[in-house]
Amino acid sequence: MAKQPRSVKLAPAFPRPEAIEVGSVIFDRDYEMPGTVREVDAPFIEMSRPTGLTWRVHFRRLRPATEWEQRQLVAVGRLHRQRQKGRP
């Protein structure tokens, strides 16, 4: 699938920030990666990844993560934990 140019306007997946639940897995169209919702601070959403990365993004840049993207997030967490075991 060809990547869309940034100038393409995508319809918001959520009608308002309150429609996004804390703990849900959401895909950030700007970072192009899934994350878990930590906090809803309208209109911004705070997200995190299992690696410890956290960021804030406007809710209009988000969409629900697909099943594959949810599995990807779980796999990243598993890999991160495995790599951390070998460190002092």
Side-chain angles (χ1 to χ4, degrees), residues 22-28 31 33-39 45-57 62 69 73-74 76-77:
V22 172
S24 59
V25 177
I26 303 293
F27 188 85
D28 182 341
Y31 276 89
M33 63 182 177
T36 304
V37 176
R38 291 181 54 171
E39 182 181 355
I45 308 299
E46 184 174 313
M47 299 182 62
S48 68
R49 292 201 25 114
T51 58
L53 173 68
T54 60
W55 72 100
R56 290 171 56 90
V57 62
L62 302 173
E69 291 161 346
L73 192 63
V74 170
V76 165

Side-chain angles (χ1 to χ4, degrees), residues 44-86:
F44 293 94
I45 308 299
E46 184 174 313
M47 299 182 62
S48 68
R49 292 201 25 114
T51 58
L53 173 68
T54 60
W55 72 100
R56 290 171 56 90
V57 62
H58 195 278
F59 82 98
R60 291 186 182 272
R61 301 303 305 153
L62 302 173
R63 65 165 172 76
T66 63
E67 285 185 35
W68 186 86
E69 291 161 346
Q70 291 178 22
R71 289 192 309 268
Q72 177 190 24
L73 192 63
V74 170
V76 165
R78 220 178 276 138
L79 177 63
H80 182 70
R81 283 190 302 277
Q82 185 180 36
R83 288 187 174 175
Q84 293 300 310
K85 283 183 183 178

Side-chain angles (χ1 to χ4, degrees), residues 29 42-43 77:
R29 294 173 179 164

